[in-house]
Amino acid sequence: MGVDSPQPVRILVVDDDPGDVLMIEEALADSDVDKIIDVVSDGEEAMEFLRAEGRHEQARRPDVILLDLNMPRMDGRQVLGAVKQDEDLRTIPIVVLTTSNADTDIVGSYTLQANAYVTKPIDLDDFNDVVRRIDEFFGRVVVLPKRT
């Protein structure tokens, strides 16, 4: 990469379903957006990663977070609330990517300042398309805050 080349987009996937994580990783791999993908499987681990604590003390700040809502230990709603209340983390865009299409989850996520809410499609091709669009949007279209 040249001096003027943009840095790869760092994506943190927070999801406890290994099948969904695999599909997300495969869909992201299909795009030509330069990226680095990190994966954690629950909210407590996500907060450790974001704060570079414990087993994630070497973690690098993500540019965007793909967040599932329904997870053990600390769910996505709690992660969303904690991140958006943390002065050092609140500028990281969070896309809620979940199976729920319940109005309470949608409104609740936006109330907690999610940047987008996307329902995981059941169909594999639709799922891949949705993840690629998220990747393209955050990798090419939007201007992300500089990493601190």
Side-chain angles (χ1 to χ4, degrees), residues 76-105:
R77 296 160 197 82
Q78 294 168 302
V79 171
L80 185 55
V83 169
K84 294 304 181 178
Q85 289 176 6
D86 186 312
E87 195 157 321
D88 294 330
L89 302 174
R90 71 174 56 160
T91 58
I92 302 171
I94 298 179
V95 176
V96 173
L97 182 61
T98 188
T99 54
S100 173
N101 61 2
D103 287 339
T104 54
D105 286 336

Side-chain angles (χ1 to χ4, degrees), residues 19 24 28 40 71 73 83 88 93 97 99 118 132 135 142 144:
I24 290 167
L28 290 172
V40 295
M71 296 178 294
R73 299 201 311 158
V83 169
D88 294 330
L97 182 61
T99 54
V118 180
R132 278 195 298 268
D135 185 40
V142 302
L144 295 166

Side-chain angles (χ1 to χ4, degrees), residues 6 35 39 50 53 60 63 79 81 87 94 110 112 118 122:
K35 71 190 76 59
V39 178
L50 291 167
E53 297 173 344
R60 303 279 307 274
D63 295 305
V79 171
E87 195 157 321
I94 298 179
Y110 282 118
L112 291 170
V118 180
I122 303 300

